[in-house]
Amino acid sequence: MEIFKIFLIGLLCVGTNVVVLEDDKRALLDLLNNLAHSRSLNWDSDSTTMCNNWTRVTCSEDGSRVIGLRLPGVGFHSHIPANTISRLSALHILSLRSSGISGPFPVNFVNLKNLSLLYLQFNQFSGPLPLDFSVWKSLTIVNLPNNKFNGSIPSSISSLTHLSALNLANNSLSGQIRDLGMHDLQVLDLSNNHLTG
Ligand SMILES: *[C@@H]1O[C@H](CO)[C@@H](O)[C@H](O)[C@H]1NC(C)=O
Ligand SMILES: *[C@@H]1O[C@H](CO)[C@@H](O)[C@H](O)[C@H]1NC(C)=O
Ligand SMILES: *[C@@H]1O[C@H](CO)[C@@H](O)[C@H](O)[C@H]1NC(C)=O
Ligand SMILES: *[C@@H]1O[C@H](CO)[C@@H](O)[C@H](O)[C@H]1NC(C)=O
């Protein structure tokens, strides 16, 4: 009886993982349909082996979630397609650098609560940075140079206790350079903005 129970619980866990992974896969396929250079990706919808075989996609060790997406230079038509990447709620690593993406910082990235490494450099993002960085408690590297972000540097950045690199160079940020009060920062580049102080 005990063994049967354990077996059942095991089965339930595996079942849940498959469902969640299936959701992640669907999010990636929705994204694929919106990519300008999708031919360079081998994301085959029939594949049962996304975690082993899809390029630029990394899964968690137990294969239950997608935790890494690296799409440098893959090309978006302009904006990040709504409601695609933001569904990958277990992402740790997101790179969309050098892709010509325009538009604001995607509001629904707040769903990516486990984000640790964020690379959005060399795009055409514009408008303000997110006001509340504290939703991404695990952020370690924030790399946003060479965009057109404007407005001031949000003070909420100083609440990020794991942050080790912050690069906001070559944007249109203005206002006072904040004392971010972070002693663990190994890289801080705010050059080529309109900051004072
Ligand atoms: C994974 O991809 C390789 C080639 O990239 C292929 O040979 C192999 O059959 C694929 N495995 C599965 C299970 O699809
Ligand atoms: C986020 O990370 C924590 C710790 O690594 C983990 O326990 C949690 O399940 C993760 N959340 C998601 C949505 O993957
Ligand atoms: C940021 O740029 C937009 C136009 O892209 C402009 O409407 C807005 O006023 C700017 N904000 C600041 C604070 O300069
Ligand atoms: C900012 O732009 C200059 C030249 O336009 C470049 O040399 C520099 O490497 C850029 N900084 C970063 C952090 O990308």
Side-chain angles (χ1 to χ4, degrees), residues 75 81 104 171:
N171 279 285

Side-chain angles (χ1 to χ4, degrees), residues 126-128 148-152 172 174:
S126 59
K148 294 173 177 171
F149 287 117
N150 69 358
S152 53
S172 298
S174 56

Side-chain angles (χ1 to χ4, degrees), residues 65 89-90 92 114:
R65 297 299 309 264
S89 57
H92 288 213
N114 271 2

